[in-house]
Amino acid sequence: MPIPLTPLHGQPMHRRPTDRLALAAAILTVLLVGFAGAALAETPEEKGRAIAEEADRRDLGFEDSYAELKMVLSNKQGESSTRELRVQTLEVPAREIGDKSLIVFDHPRDIEGTAFLSFTKILEPDDQWLYLPALKRVKRISSANKSGPFVGSEFAYEDMLSQEVDKYDYRWLRDEACGEITCFVVERTPLYENSGYARQVVWIDQQEYRAQRVDFYDRKDSLLKTLTFGGYNRYLDQYWRADDWYMENHQTGKTTRLTFGNWEFRLGLDDNDLDPNRLKRLR
């Protein structure tokens, strides 16, 4: 009588070669899954950088842009003043070099024609120039002034620059609701030694990777300002731009609101359009 292969009647089970191969394959699969899981595990720092990289990747390729904006400055007593300006941005694809931007003031008359040109760099001081019509000269801004207020607003010069990925170290803090959507909350630490901030905490929505809010901490690590973005619109079926930027200074009670409009993209701008030697001739 042949020996049964199943443990019927208390008889021992003998495995065939095919059973041994199946068992070995199962063990190998478990080991590979475990190894892959360990390899894919991210530290908070790696996850924070990955979020920043993805947000940056989604904004690549816009080439250049133009927008008009209104700046409203308000003090703690509720008094306010309004300025009108326009901004041009030239995308620089090279990772080691940041974008170029030009801001020109059109109103009120006492600052009409004032222009601010910036060539963003990664860890080196950015190249920046300010043209003041009253003095009829172009002034190069020193790196130490980048943390100072931008033309009396609650925005610092460094807030107005292109936010290149490699300007910061990152750390993912948590996920949490921000309004009706869910956001990554990521801390980023400026690598530029003359930054006016010890750190920033950024809320980025998980669906479109758009910044929703930034908390700025001063060099003493006290909460200084909060920037809130709103009124997002998508252009060229890809590029999101916020039409409302609201900056609140928690230490002075002052606020600045930027309202953007008339966005245009791919106008064919080049380096000649953002040349310091052209600032005096801008209209």
Side-chain angles (χ1 to χ4, degrees), residues 195-236:
S195 172
Y197 307 116
R199 60 191 175 101
Q200 302 171 11
V201 179
V202 188
W203 279 254
I204 301 171
D205 75 74
Q206 295 188 352
Q207 183 170 357
E208 301 292 349
Y209 285 74
R210 301 166 300 191
Q212 301 291 324
R213 167 182 165 182
V214 184
D215 283 352
F216 298 87
Y217 291 80
D218 64 18
R219 298 298 294 265
K220 297 179 180 178
D221 205 27
S222 298
L223 180 60
L224 174 61
K225 304 183 296 188
T226 294
L227 174 60
T228 306
F229 298 95
Y232 269 104
N233 290 297
R234 189 165 65 175
Y235 299 89
L236 304 179

Side-chain angles (χ1 to χ4, degrees), residues 7 9 16 35 42 51 61 70 98 110 138 145 153 170 186 191 197 200 212 215 224-225 227 234 248 251 266 281:
H9 312 298
R16 297 171 298 183
F35 177 77
E42 288 182 307
I51 293 167
K70 180 180 293 185
D110 61 339
V138 177
N145 286 337
S153 74
Y170 298 87
V186 177
L191 297 176
Y197 307 116
Q200 302 171 11
Q212 301 291 324
D215 283 352
L224 174 61
K225 304 183 296 188
L227 174 60
R234 189 165 65 175
E248 179 180 10
Q251 298 182 6
R266 296 179 179 171
R281 304 192 297 272

Side-chain angles (χ1 to χ4, degrees), residues 4 8 13 53 55-56 72 74 81 88 96 101 109 113 178 194 231 235 240 255 269 277:
L8 295 175
M13 184 177 70
E53 294 275 7
D56 183 66
V72 179
S74 302
S81 60
Q88 294 177 332
E96 63 277 11
S101 60
R109 290 182 61 84
C178 49
N194 288 323
Y235 299 89
W240 291 96
T255 65
L269 299 179
N277 295 319

Side-chain angles (χ1 to χ4, degrees), residues 96-99 101 116-129 140-144 146 157-164 167 192 194:
E96 63 277 11
I97 303 174
D99 294 344
S101 60
F116 173 64
L117 177 64
S118 175
F119 295 176
T120 305
K121 296 184 177 179
I122 307 304
L123 299 182
E124 299 296 320
D126 299 326
D127 293 329
Q128 297 178 332
W129 297 266
R140 184 154 187 162
I141 301 173
S142 69
S143 59
K146 282 170 51 178
Y157 281 96
E158 63 184 289
D159 303 337
M160 306 298 293
L161 304 175
S162 175
Q163 301 297 304
E164 307 295 334
K167 291 171 80 75
Y192 180 58
N194 288 323

Side-chain angles (χ1 to χ4, degrees), residues 7-243:
L8 295 175
H9 312 298
Q11 296 293 329
M13 184 177 70
H14 298 273
R15 292 190 177 92
R16 297 171 298 183
T18 52
D19 297 321
R20 296 192 188 99
L21 289 174
L23 178 60
I27 293 172
L28 181 61
T29 300
V30 170
L31 291 174
L32 288 174
V33 168
F35 177 77
L40 292 174
E42 288 182 307
T43 66
E45 289 75 15
E46 290 170 338
K47 184 171 182 176
R49 173 165 283 274
I51 293 167
E53 294 275 7
E54 177 62 16
D56 183 66
R57 185 192 67 78
R58 294 184 181 212
D59 202 51
L60 291 176
F62 70 88
E63 298 180 8
D64 60 58
S65 66
Y66 167 89
E68 297 171 356
L69 58 152
K70 180 180 293 185
M71 174 185 285
V72 179
L73 293 73
S74 302
N75 62 22
K76 195 173 182 179
Q77 291 70 41
E79 300 168 329
S80 64
S81 60
T82 301
R83 296 170 179 177
E84 295 177 2
L85 47 157
R86 49 201 148 99
V87 57
Q88 294 177 332
T89 302
L90 177 63
E91 181 181 30
V92 178
R95 173 116 186 188
E96 63 277 11
I97 303 174
D99 294 344
K100 299 180 179 181
S101 60
L102 171 64
I103 298 174
V104 180
F105 285 79
D106 294 322
H107 180 81
R109 290 182 61 84
D110 61 339
I111 60 169
E112 181 180 355
T114 298
F116 173 64
L117 177 64
S118 175
F119 295 176
T120 305
K121 296 184 177 179
I122 307 304
L123 299 182
E124 299 296 320
D126 299 326
D127 293 329
Q128 297 178 332
W129 297 266
L130 185 67
Y131 174 64
L132 300 169
L135 301 178
K136 295 183 178 179
R137 70 183 181 94
V138 177
K139 175 184 178 183
R140 184 154 187 162
I141 301 173
S142 69
S143 59
N145 286 337
K146 282 170 51 178
S147 62
F150 176 68
V151 291
S153 74
E154 298 313 304
F155 288 85
Y157 281 96
E158 63 184 289
D159 303 337
M160 306 298 293
L161 304 175
S162 175
Q163 301 297 304
E164 307 295 334
V165 172
D166 293 334
K167 291 171 80 75
Y168 302 93
D169 274 340
Y170 298 87
R171 183 164 65 101
W172 170 81
L173 300 178
R174 60 188 179 274
D175 296 338
E176 69 178 23
C178 49
E180 297 180 350
I181 54 180
T182 303
C183 283
F184 302 112
V185 183
V186 177
E187 180 182 77
R188 62 186 187 188
T189 303
L191 297 176
Y192 180 58
E193 62 180 1
N194 288 323
S195 172
Y197 307 116
R199 60 191 175 101
Q200 302 171 11
V201 179
V202 188
W203 279 254
I204 301 171
D205 75 74
Q206 295 188 352
Q207 183 170 357
E208 301 292 349
Y209 285 74
R210 301 166 300 191
Q212 301 291 324
R213 167 182 165 182
V214 184
D215 283 352
F216 298 87
Y217 291 80
D218 64 18
R219 298 298 294 265
K220 297 179 180 178
D221 205 27
S222 298
L223 180 60
L224 174 61
K225 304 183 296 188
T226 294
L227 174 60
T228 306
F229 298 95
Y232 269 104
N233 290 297
R234 189 165 65 175
Y235 299 89
L236 304 179
D237 294 325
Q238 179 176 350
Y239 305 109
W240 291 96
R241 294 294 183 270
D243 283 347

